[in-house]
Amino acid sequence: KKLRTVGNPDTRFQEDALRLLRGLRFVNVLNQKLLTTTKKKKPDPTDKVRLFDFEPETWKSIKSNHTLLKTIAKERIKEELTKAFSQGNPFGLIGLLDEAEMLAILFPALALTKHVDQPIRYHPFDIYSHIILTLYHLQEINQNYLVRFAMLYHDVGKVGQYAEYGKNLSKEEIRTLLAGPLNHRFSSAVLAEEDFRKLGFSHKEIEEIQRYIREHHTPGEILLGNPQNRAKRLRKLLSEAGFERVNNLLDINIADRMGMYNPLQNASDLSDSRYLKKLLLDLEQEEGQFRAKDLAIKGKDIMEHFHLKPGKIIGELLEVALDRVLGDIKNRNKPDQIFANLANHLKNLSNRDGTHSSTQEK
């Protein structure tokens, strides 16, 4: 089965260049539907899977006219890309865009990751291959188009990071890197803002994409930390971001780890990541999203109890209280316990720098 234009393909694409992108999306969607249908049937080794393809002259015209994409209003391109990434196989679309020489036009930062090798002890693939593998795994478990776009750009900043720092860093160099703007989580988010703004994405959509990119290592950091603190750290993340965002981050973490391995080989043990998913679900069902407003005390209570005036210190003390309560919401969210903990905190502040020395409890 082949997709062809009505009449001369050059004429059709020059009439409306969006047909270039729409044609790729149609073929990708139709192939995904065929593959899905085939998987549901009882396997028969004599069956031949007939996939959709482009009629040769149509495909030749798509490639020769690919620069016409630059003439399309960004709002129309954004609509097509959103449809494609909301459907079943964005991984397949990226492959078609690459083959049709459109990748660098639509996703320039992603195109620059091709053939950029990574440290072999962490990644056996170049940056681009790793990214599209993670997208492949993510689309199997998460349908959110913004999460998928974040996965597409989560590591694009590594190009600049490797160019500046190289790939075999000392511990001191790693500390310097993580504290600076070339930390790929931050530089990737900057590149995403640049490219998705040019594609017509809204400020709100771009912020969401950037948030996932900046935080995509957070689940891994929780797993590498003290196992006894995992529930508390997950509660804090849940408090700040909400269930849906945290669940999306955990999906990104799983896909990122799976993208480090050849799909034909056994992937890494993901039991710890899946444990976090279960823990998140348990916390959501048992406790919900616990935030500062859910504390047993309010800012005015702190001011009255410690004879403090309104100011920055009140917000800081609420954060201290929240951090403490998140360790054990059921038993610690009690006024007397919160005030006792804050009294110790203020005492430590006073001993450290002499501030709040006149603060007294009732």
Side-chain angles (χ1 to χ4, degrees), residues 171-345:
K171 290 184 178 180
E172 183 59 36
E173 288 172 326
I174 291 174
R175 281 193 289 269
T176 302
L177 168 62
L178 293 178
L182 283 179
N183 180 333
H184 77 272
R185 289 178 293 175
F186 306 127
S187 56
S188 295
V190 171
L191 291 168
E193 194 278 333
E194 294 174 358
D195 287 358
F196 284 97
R197 177 172 46 80
K198 292 175 183 176
L199 290 171
F201 283 73
S202 69
H203 178 71
K204 183 178 180 180
E205 288 172 316
I206 292 172
E207 277 194 332
E208 192 75 358
I209 291 170
Q210 288 183 297
R211 182 171 192 162
Y212 290 125
I213 293 173
R214 285 192 295 264
E215 297 293 331
H216 78 269
H217 277 184
T218 301
E221 292 167 353
I222 293 175
L223 289 172
L224 289 173
N226 187 337
Q228 294 182 345
N229 290 333
R230 286 176 180 173
K232 177 182 176 180
R233 294 190 66 180
L234 205 55
R235 283 192 191 101
K236 184 170 180 59
L237 194 58
L238 181 61
S239 172
E240 296 168 346
F243 175 81
E244 183 178 357
R245 283 197 180 107
V246 179
N247 192 56
N248 288 336
L249 273 176
L250 296 181
D251 285 344
I252 288 173
N253 169 257
I254 289 173
D256 197 11
R257 293 178 66 181
M258 293 181 73
M260 295 170 64
Y261 293 85
N262 188 321
L264 299 179
Q265 298 173 333
N266 292 327
S268 63
D269 179 9
L270 298 173
S271 58
D272 51 357
S273 291
R274 301 193 192 287
Y275 161 77
L276 279 188
K277 290 270 288 186
K278 183 180 183 305
L279 178 58
L280 174 66
L281 185 61
D282 291 343
L283 291 175
E284 169 66 11
Q285 291 176 343
E286 295 171 8
E287 303 170 354
Q289 182 183 4
F290 191 93
R291 292 172 288 186
K293 69 180 184 64
D294 300 311
L295 287 169
I297 64 168
K298 309 299 179 188
K300 64 181 180 61
D301 301 319
I302 293 176
M303 289 187 287
E304 292 175 2
H305 192 87
F306 294 107
H307 302 299
L308 294 172
K309 295 180 180 180
K312 183 179 178 181
I313 184 64
I314 306 303
E316 292 174 353
L317 290 175
L318 284 171
E319 283 298 315
V320 171
L322 178 62
D323 185 69
R324 169 71 176 171
V325 169
L326 286 174
D328 186 352
I329 294 174
K330 183 177 179 180
N331 295 311
R332 293 180 182 175
N333 192 29
K334 299 174 181 178
D336 57 340
Q337 288 201 29
I338 295 174
F339 285 134
N341 180 57
L342 292 181
N344 287 331
H345 179 76

Side-chain angles (χ1 to χ4, degrees), residues 76-218:
R76 299 183 71 204
I77 290 180
K78 186 250 182 176
E79 183 179 359
E80 282 297 318
L81 290 175
T82 299
K83 287 178 181 177
F85 270 70
S86 300
Q87 294 167 334
N89 188 27
F91 166 83
L93 179 72
I94 294 299
L96 287 173
L97 289 174
D98 188 21
E99 194 174 350
E101 301 177 30
M102 299 179 190
L103 191 68
I105 296 174
L106 298 175
F107 302 111
L110 176 64
L112 290 174
T113 65
K114 296 185 72 175
H115 312 302
V116 180
D117 292 330
Q118 303 190 81
I120 192 67
R121 64 187 182 278
Y122 300 125
H123 292 283
F125 310 112
D126 65 20
I127 302 173
Y128 176 77
S129 299
H130 165 69
I131 287 175
I132 62 171
L133 273 175
T134 63
L135 180 61
Y136 171 79
H137 292 297
L138 181 73
Q139 71 186 28
E140 298 296 311
I141 58 176
N142 194 297
Q143 310 305 312
N144 186 309
Y145 75 101
L146 294 177
V147 179
R148 291 172 168 186
F149 279 127
M151 192 92 262
L152 191 68
Y153 264 60
H154 79 285
D155 273 355
V156 295
K158 283 185 175 179
V159 176
Q161 175 181 307
Y162 291 155
E164 180 69 20
Y165 287 96
K167 300 169 187 174
N168 297 303
L169 305 182
S170 66
K171 290 184 178 180
E172 183 59 36
E173 288 172 326
I174 291 174
R175 281 193 289 269
T176 302
L177 168 62
L178 293 178
L182 283 179
N183 180 333
H184 77 272
R185 289 178 293 175
F186 306 127
S187 56
S188 295
V190 171
L191 291 168
E193 194 278 333
E194 294 174 358
D195 287 358
F196 284 97
R197 177 172 46 80
K198 292 175 183 176
L199 290 171
F201 283 73
S202 69
H203 178 71
K204 183 178 180 180
E205 288 172 316
I206 292 172
E207 277 194 332
E208 192 75 358
I209 291 170
Q210 288 183 297
R211 182 171 192 162
Y212 290 125
I213 293 173
R214 285 192 295 264
E215 297 293 331
H216 78 269
H217 277 184
T218 301

